[in-house]
Amino acid sequence: MNIVCYGLQWGDEGKGKVTTYLSREFDYVVRYSGGSNAGHTVNYGEFKLVHHLVPSFDIRGNTKAYIANGVVVDLDVLIKEIEEIKKIGFDVYDRINISSLTHIVLPVHKMLDEKLEIAKGEKAVGTTKRGIGPAYADKVHRIGLRLVDLFDKETALEKLKFISKMYKNLYGIEWDDYEILFENFEKLSKLIVPPLEMKEEFKNVNVLFEGTQGVLLDIDMGSYPYVTGSYCNTTGVESGLGFPIKIDKRIGVFKAYVTRVGEGPFPTELFGEEAEKIRIAGREFGATTGRPRRCGWLDLPILRYAIETSGCDEMIMTKADILSGLEKVKVGIRYLSNGRKFEIPNDISMIDKVTVEYIEFNGWKNLEDDNFAKFVDFIERETGLKIAYISTGEKIDDIRKV
Ligand code: GDP
C-alpha cells in the first residue's frame, strides 16, 4: 500500500506530525520534493524535532527513510539534523538513503537567493533564502552538482570551478571554498543509492510519500509567482522518484483555518486583533524562518481547488482546537468576481481579485462539542470528501480516527 500525505493549503498544515503518526504503519517514508526550506515540527511529548530534510518518520520505530532526487539537499543541514536526532538518543543514520541523482544546494545558491529577493524589491516572493529556487534553476540550466558527481573528486572540482566562474560572471558572486562539501560528502556517502535500487526495494514494501509545502505552493498549480520552486503537489511523486509507482491513496492535510508565509494573494486573510488571536494561539510563526504567518478563515473554494488539483481521496483536519473558545467561526464558501459566483476558482490566478462570501458557525468549547461536529459535517458535505482523521493537539498521538 502506497500513500501520499500532503498539504492542501499554503504549507504548515501540520503534515509533519500527521506523517510521523502514520509512518508507523509503513516501511518507508519518502521525501519527493523541496529542500531545507521545509520545516515540519513534530512534538513527541518528551522532545520536539524540526525536520528540514530528514523525512518525518517516527524515529523511535523501525521505519526507514528515502530522500528522492526531486529534493535538493543542503548537506550541512542534513548532517546537523541527523546529529541533533543522535543527541536525543536515536541513531537514524542507517535508516536513511538518498538518491545519487539528488542535486546539492551550494553556498552560491543561498547568496543568489538573497540577491534575487533584494533585486525584486516590492515584487519579492518572501522566500526562506535557503537557496532552493537557485538550486532548482541550476538543475534546469544543467550546471547543477549532484551527489553522484562527488564520488570522483577531480571531476567534482572541475564542475565546482565552472559553477564558481558562472556565478562570478553572471551575478558577481564569489565562492571557492569547496573543502567542506567533500567533508560532508564523506559523512553521507554510505547513504547514497542509485534510484533503480530503490525501485526494486519499493516493489514489496509499503511506502508513505511525504509532501512538503502545499498544493497552493506548487510551481505550476500554485499561486504563481508566489510559490516554491518544486512540484510539491501529489503529481511530484513520480518525477521526484524518477520512476513510476502505483499510489493507492492520496491523503490531504488541511488546517481548520488558513495560514500563509511570505507574499501572495490570500482571499480570507484576517488582520489586526482577530488575526493576532489565532496567530498566538496556533503559534503561527515559521519553523524555518520564525516569521509571523498570515492567518485567515478556512477558504472552501481554494480547498476544493487543491482537492481537484491533487486527486485527493480523503482528508485530515488539524488545529481545530486552536479555534476552541471563539464565539463565532467563519468559513469562506464562494467567491464573487465580476458579478459571477465561483464555488471553485477555474484558474488560481483569479484569487487576488475576488470577494468572499462567508458562512458563520457558532464556536465550539472543545472538539467534543456538537458545534464542532456541525462544522466537520459541513466541510465533508461541501467538499464531497471524508475527513478520515482529526488532529486534536500538538503531540503525535493527539489524533483521532473518524
Ligand atoms: P508542517 O510543515 O505542515 O508539518 O507544519 P508545521 O510544522 O509548520 O506546523 C505544525 C505545528 O502545529 C507543529 O508544532 C505541530 O505540533 C502543531 N500541530 C499539528 N497539528 C496540530 C493540532 O491539531 N493542534 C495543535 N494545537 N497543534 C497542532
Side-chain angles (χ1 to χ4, degrees):
M1 176 97 147
N2 298 327
I3 285 182
V4 195
C5 182
Y6 63 100
L8 284 167
Q9 292 159 328
W10 276 288
D12 309 317
E13 299 91 348
K15 301 171 298 289
K17 169 214 155 140
V18 168
T19 310
T20 307
Y21 170 81
L22 296 174
S23 74
R24 299 164 187 172
E25 305 293 321
F26 289 83
D27 300 291
Y28 275 91
V29 174
V30 175
R31 270 280 302 268
Y32 59 89
S33 74
S36 59
N37 52 344
H40 306 306
T41 307
V42 182
N43 187 337
Y44 280 78
E46 58 271 39
F47 56 87
K48 260 190 199 178
L49 286 184
V50 180
H51 295 253
H52 293 291
L53 279 166
V54 170
S56 305
F57 62 145
D58 192 326
I59 59 167
R60 302 164 303 184
N62 298 315
T63 310
K64 293 191 218 166
Y66 176 55
I67 299 172
N69 31 270
V71 178
V72 287
V73 175
D74 184 326
L75 303 185
D76 219 29
V77 174
L78 180 59
I79 289 168
K80 285 200 178 110
E81 221 173 304
I82 295 173
E83 282 169 0
E84 280 301 310
I85 296 174
K86 197 165 180 189
K87 272 192 216 151
I88 296 172
F90 299 90
D91 191 350
V92 294
Y93 183 82
D94 289 334
R95 288 161 60 193
I96 300 177
N97 280 121
I98 318 170
S99 162
S100 57
L101 302 185
T102 301
H103 279 248
I104 301 168
V105 178
L106 299 169
V108 286
H109 296 136
K110 288 183 239 182
M111 293 185 229
L112 180 58
D113 220 349
E114 179 104 38
K115 266 196 148 182
L116 279 173
E117 282 289 272
I118 293 169
K120 283 179 187 169
E122 272 179 12
K123 295 207 177 332
V125 180
T127 80
T128 56
K129 302 195 183 97
R130 296 292 176 118
I132 308 306
Y136 279 117
D138 279 358
K139 178 174 177 171
V140 178
H141 288 148
R142 280 138 306 160
I143 60 167
L145 188 79
R146 300 181 297 176
L147 282 173
V148 69
D149 298 324
L150 289 169
F151 281 105
D152 177 352
K153 190 162 181 179
E154 212 173 299
T155 317
L157 274 173
E158 212 173 287
K159 290 192 178 187
L160 282 163
K161 282 180 190 155
F162 179 68
I163 293 169
S164 289
K165 194 170 127 197
M166 293 287 284
Y167 268 76
K168 183 156 188 243
N169 293 342
L170 285 170
Y171 312 113
I173 289 174
E174 303 216 24
W175 171 68
D176 59 6
D177 180 12
Y178 311 133
E179 221 29 60
I180 181 78
L181 196 61
F182 291 104
E183 283 168 28
N184 283 340
F185 174 72
E186 274 306 307
K187 293 184 191 161
L188 293 171
S189 61
K190 282 202 199 101
L191 315 185
I192 300 168
V193 290
L196 285 189
E197 209 170 282
M198 294 313 290
K199 183 177 183 198
E200 201 52 36
E201 173 81 359
F202 288 167
K203 276 184 182 157
N204 303 310
V205 296
N206 299 312
V207 184
L208 175 59
F209 292 94
E210 174 189 20
T212 51
Q213 288 87 32
V215 174
L216 305 177
L217 289 172
D218 182 80
I219 181 100
D220 276 342
M221 299 304 278
S223 51
Y224 192 87
Y226 303 102
V227 292
T228 192
S230 63
Y231 294 102
C232 51
N233 191 5
T234 50
T235 52
V237 170
E238 290 191 344
S239 61
L241 272 182
F243 52 83
I245 193 153
K246 182 171 176 285
I247 301 296
D248 299 289
K249 206 192 278 181
R250 295 172 181 83
I251 307 182
V253 184
F254 75 101
K255 247 187 246 195
Y257 50 95
V258 177
T259 58
R260 167 158 212 179
V261 183
E263 304 305 318
F266 186 167
T268 58
E269 183 164 13
L270 288 166
F271 299 93
E273 219 175 282
E274 260 182 318
E276 197 59 10
K277 226 173 175 176
I278 296 178
R279 188 175 301 121
I280 303 278
R283 296 202 203 126
E284 297 297 355
F285 299 88
T288 303
T289 59
R291 284 181 291 180
R293 294 174 182 152
R294 298 156 68 193
C295 299
W297 296 121
L298 183 63
D299 180 336
L300 283 182
I302 204 80
L303 184 63
R304 293 187 192 105
Y305 173 87
I307 287 170
E308 280 303 312
T309 302
S310 60
C312 187
D313 295 305
E314 58 186 46
M315 301 191 288
I316 298 180
M317 189 201 288
T318 60
K319 296 192 106 166
D321 57 299
I322 298 301
L323 303 181
S324 296
L326 291 183
E327 206 174 309
K328 300 280 178 194
V329 173
K330 286 192 194 173
V331 174
I333 51 163
R334 64 180 69 84
Y335 293 154
L336 303 172
S337 174
N338 294 326
R340 280 182 62 198
K341 292 185 174 184
F342 293 86
E343 305 290 323
I344 177 169
N346 49 5
D347 173 346
I348 195 169
S349 59
M350 76 178 287
I351 69 167
D352 58 349
K353 298 180 215 77
V354 295
T355 45
V356 184
E357 202 179 300
Y358 290 93
I359 187 164
E360 200 171 72
F361 287 82
N362 289 325
W364 48 86
K365 286 194 188 63
N366 54 49
L367 301 187
E368 311 308 319
D369 193 324
D370 276 352
N371 286 343
F372 177 62
K374 284 180 195 156
F375 178 77
V376 172
D377 284 351
F378 178 79
I379 295 165
E380 288 190 331
R381 215 169 41 246
E382 286 290 319
T383 56
L385 284 186
K386 184 168 168 49
I387 296 175
Y389 293 88
I390 293 174
S391 167
T392 56
E394 263 191 61
K395 296 185 193 135
I396 300 176
D397 288 304
D398 296 337
I399 191 163
R400 68 174 187 234
K401 205 168 185 343
V402 185

